[in-house]
Amino acid sequence: MASLPITDWSAAPAPRPRGFEPRLVAVEAASPPAAAARLSALEWSVVALAERDTIASLREPGRIGAALESLFGLGRPNKLANPRLEVLRRVAVFVWRQGWKVPKSELAAFLAEGFTLDQYELIHASIAKRARSGRGR
C-alpha cells in the first residue's frame, strides 16, 4: 500500500508572493438569523383540511352554476371567515393538487397576508412528505 510523506507543518510558513499582503476588509453587520419557519396548530389544521378540497372549490360559481347547486343540493366547501386562513387554504389546495404550480396571484396574496416564502416551502415539504409516506391523496 502506498502512502504520501508527512509534511512538517511546524516549519516556518512559505514566503508570500510579492504584492500579496493580507488586509482587513470591513464586513456588514450580519443580520440576525431568520427564525425557523413555523405554522400554528390552527394553520396546520387548515392545510390538512385543504387536502379534501378540489381546485373547483376555489372558483366562484356563475349564476347558472349557483342555481344548479341550489336546485340539486350540491354542496361547496365554505370559505373560511378569516381572510388570512382562507389565503392559506387556497395555497394549500393548489399545493395538494398541483405541487409547485401555484399561480403567481395566489402566491402574492399569500405573501401579502404576512406569510413568508419559508412557510410556503414548509407547506410544500410537509405535503410532499405526507404524499411520499402513502397517507396523502
Side-chain angles (χ1 to χ4, degrees):
M1 180 179 282
S3 65
L4 295 175
I6 298 176
T7 307
D8 182 17
W9 293 104
S10 63
R16 292 188 189 104
R18 251 185 131 186
F20 177 79
E21 294 297 324
R23 59 188 168 127
L24 296 176
V25 178
V27 178
E28 295 179 28
S31 61
R38 293 183 178 192
L39 293 175
S40 68
L42 177 61
E43 292 166 341
W44 278 121
S45 65
V46 169
V47 171
L49 288 173
E51 181 180 7
R52 289 184 270 158
D53 293 344
T54 63
I55 297 292
S57 71
L58 304 178
R59 295 186 200 107
E60 290 295 324
R63 288 186 295 166
I64 295 174
L68 289 174
E69 286 176 357
S70 64
L71 181 64
F72 293 109
L74 302 174
R76 293 179 52 82
N78 292 334
K79 285 185 174 182
L80 299 176
N82 185 329
R84 178 178 165 88
L85 295 179
E86 176 60 19
V87 167
L88 176 63
R89 181 188 76 87
R90 293 178 65 85
V91 166
V93 167
F94 277 112
V95 173
W96 276 111
R97 300 294 172 215
Q98 297 180 342
W100 287 100
K101 294 187 280 184
V102 176
K104 289 181 183 180
S105 59
E106 294 295 334
L107 185 56
F110 181 77
L111 297 174
E113 283 295 330
F115 291 104
T116 65
L117 288 176
D118 289 336
Q119 290 172 320
Y120 176 67
E121 290 177 1
L122 178 66
I123 293 168
H124 270 285
S126 173
I127 289 174
K129 181 179 178 183
R130 187 167 177 182
R132 276 193 310 270
S133 70
R135 293 184 300 172
R137 290 195 229 182

